[in-house]
Amino acid sequence: MKVLFLSNAASIHTVRWVNALANRGHEIHLVFKKDDQPRDNEISNKVILHSLKYGGNKAYFTSAFELHKLYKKIKPDVVNAHYASGYGTLARIAKLKPLILSVWGSDVYDFPYQSKIKMNLIKKNLLYADKIASTSNCMADQVRKLLNSNSVDITVTPFGVDIEKFSRKNESQNKEKICIGNIKTLAPKYGITDLIKAVRILKDNLVKKGLREISDNIVVQIYGDGMQREEILDLIKQLQLEDTVELKGRIPNHEVPAALEKMDIFCLTSVFESFGVSAVEAMALELPVVATDVDGFKEVVENDVTGIIVQRKNPAAIAKALEKLVLNKETRLEMGKNGRNRVIELYDWNRNVDTMLELYKSIS
């Protein structure tokens, strides 16, 4: 099958989709704006790359003629545009068909509500598509809400994990330290400052209960980089957590399993998530997950089975859930095993790719 894949080549989500499809023997043409270039040589050489002439938001409009010419040259069996607001607009203006439009999150949760013009734009893009794909059921419901129709057919194509790569290679070792981890961009919507505040509360509560040794043995590892790095470093110093919290920096996706394997608890404090891929990755490594009550996490994490769901923007609630897991190793291990089983059942990447290919075949 010949696929024109229209998406940001710098995104790990794009990289994983095109690599998986190309490795299945399909001819994949990845098309992207000038400023969405691939990085870190992560894209397979089996994928054919096409960089458009223009970059920036204007390119979603000004690149239509160039893209249509490329489309006529490639003659794809199907077009898959990712991100309804940007590349969805470009696909519609360039008159690409048959079109599957994959929604990602902020394109349907945030963008439409910024103005009436943007709301109309999203609706046009969604209605132009032959099929719509979503990584989660909650985001599919959001699309139906935008279109004011509960009958819109949307295929859920979860962004799962390679369950072989994301598996525990070593049995948990008896160790004194208890590692709480997080892997996210250091940006406000991911609530990293709430995690830092929760750790301070957690340690203080343990000391008040006469458990200073346990408090002293807690370490926190946060992987990622972003605009809030300096603010977070300042908060760590302010709360006197320099010996507890470590900012490890950004790591490529292939290093994530090894980082997760060093952790005992995974803690996600986002104020918005349309799908919880980071929770899926942690659960695959048999980690219990403390996560905020945003739609994406509530769909992925089964409360009191694979982790604990807490109120967002509430450091005290986060601290309480962390304390429960810090003090109960058996609960951590049980939730971790349950999480791994849930990932195998629902978020096996190979089966997720099968679902996408079936969707392609249905309109090609």
Side-chain angles (χ1 to χ4, degrees):
M1 186 184 301
K2 191 185 296 186
V3 181
L4 192 161
F5 202 98
L6 187 61
S7 188
N8 182 351
S11 167
I12 184 59
H13 303 303
T14 300
V15 172
R16 287 188 60 205
W17 276 121
V18 296
N19 284 353
L21 295 167
N23 288 336
R24 296 282 188 97
H26 299 284
E27 184 179 325
I28 307 300
H29 293 260
L30 174 58
V31 184
F32 46 89
K33 296 187 294 116
K34 183 180 179 180
D35 52 346
D36 286 342
Q37 299 286 330
R39 62 186 181 188
D40 299 335
N41 297 315
E42 294 176 328
I43 296 179
S44 168
N45 57 17
K46 297 177 183 178
V47 178
I48 304 165
L49 303 178
H50 305 272
S51 177
L52 296 171
K53 181 179 179 181
Y54 302 110
N57 289 336
K58 289 183 179 179
Y60 294 127
F61 301 89
T62 57
S63 298
F65 180 72
E66 180 187 3
L67 176 58
H68 188 76
K69 284 179 65 177
L70 182 61
Y71 161 79
K72 290 177 71 174
K73 180 179 178 181
I74 295 172
K75 297 179 181 177
D77 298 304
V78 63
V79 178
N80 187 189
H82 283 246
Y83 216 76
S85 53
Y87 284 109
T89 299
L90 179 55
R92 175 175 59 82
I93 296 175
K95 299 181 179 179
L96 307 190
K97 287 281 190 176
L99 175 65
I100 294 170
L101 183 57
S102 293
V103 296
W104 278 37
S106 60
D107 51 344
V108 292
Y109 278 99
D110 299 335
F111 182 86
Y113 300 101
Q114 293 171 4
S115 70
K116 288 184 178 179
I117 292 175
K118 291 181 177 180
M119 176 66 79
N120 290 332
L121 185 72
I122 283 292
K123 288 182 178 179
K124 284 182 180 179
N125 296 347
L126 292 169
L127 292 171
Y128 177 79
D130 297 284
K131 294 283 186 178
I132 299 172
S134 167
T135 52
S136 64
N137 288 292
C138 61
M139 188 157 50
D141 288 339
Q142 172 63 18
V143 172
R144 295 186 181 101
K145 178 181 176 182
L146 289 173
L147 295 177
N148 196 28
S149 173
N150 292 325
S151 62
V152 178
D153 182 26
I154 300 171
T155 301
V156 176
T157 53
F159 193 73
V161 297
D162 183 326
I163 59 174
E164 296 303 321
K165 291 180 180 178
F166 281 80
S167 61
R168 190 165 286 278
K169 302 299 186 289
N170 301 301
E171 291 298 320
S172 297
Q173 299 176 348
N174 291 324
K175 57 181 183 178
E176 292 183 358
K177 298 293 183 182
I178 298 174
C179 181
I180 299 168
N182 177 289
I183 303 177
K184 277 291 183 185
T185 300
L186 306 184
K189 72 175 182 177
Y190 297 120
I192 306 299
T193 55
D194 289 334
L195 171 57
I196 306 300
K197 293 172 185 175
V199 171
R200 181 70 272 168
I201 296 170
L202 167 66
K203 287 174 66 65
D204 290 345
N205 286 346
L206 289 171
V207 170
K208 289 175 184 176
K209 294 178 180 180
L211 301 172
R212 178 176 291 278
E213 185 176 354
I214 294 176
S215 174
D216 290 343
N217 283 332
I218 291 173
V219 295
V220 180
Q221 295 182 345
I222 299 173
Y223 290 84
D225 207 350
M227 66 176 73
Q228 269 195 309
R229 180 177 176 81
E230 293 305 316
E231 178 186 343
I232 290 168
L233 283 171
D234 288 343
L235 182 62
I236 291 170
K237 292 177 183 177
Q238 177 187 332
L239 297 180
Q240 299 181 328
L241 291 170
E242 298 98 320
D243 295 332
T244 300
V245 181
E246 184 179 4
L247 299 188
K248 307 284 284 186
R250 179 184 176 272
I251 56 173
N253 188 255
H254 68 266
E255 293 182 13
V256 169
L260 289 169
E261 196 155 6
K262 297 174 184 177
M263 301 174 187
D264 299 288
I265 302 166
F266 200 68
C267 186
L268 293 161
T269 48
S270 303
V271 296
F272 166 79
E273 289 279 355
S274 57
F275 180 66
V277 65
S278 49
V280 172
E281 292 174 341
M283 287 159 56
L285 266 292
E286 301 180 29
L287 293 178
V289 178
V290 173
T292 45
D293 57 352
V294 296
D295 287 347
F297 293 157
K298 288 193 294 182
E299 184 168 323
V300 170
V301 179
E302 191 172 0
N303 190 35
D304 290 331
V305 177
T306 69
I308 303 173
I309 299 293
V310 298
Q311 186 181 42
R312 75 192 82 176
K313 299 182 180 181
N314 189 334
I318 297 165
K320 183 178 179 180
L322 288 173
E323 181 178 326
K324 177 179 178 179
L325 294 176
V326 164
L327 295 179
N328 196 326
K329 183 178 179 179
E330 291 303 314
T331 299
R332 296 201 304 266
L333 294 176
E334 181 182 358
M335 285 185 171
K337 295 289 184 184
N338 292 341
R340 172 76 179 173
N341 291 336
R342 184 169 174 82
V343 171
I344 291 171
E345 179 185 357
L346 299 175
Y347 303 113
D348 180 340
W349 177 239
N350 284 323
R351 283 194 284 183
N352 300 155
V353 175
D354 289 341
T355 301
M356 184 67 92
L357 284 170
E358 287 301 315
L359 181 59
Y360 285 178
K361 292 173 184 177
S362 73
I363 66 169
S364 61

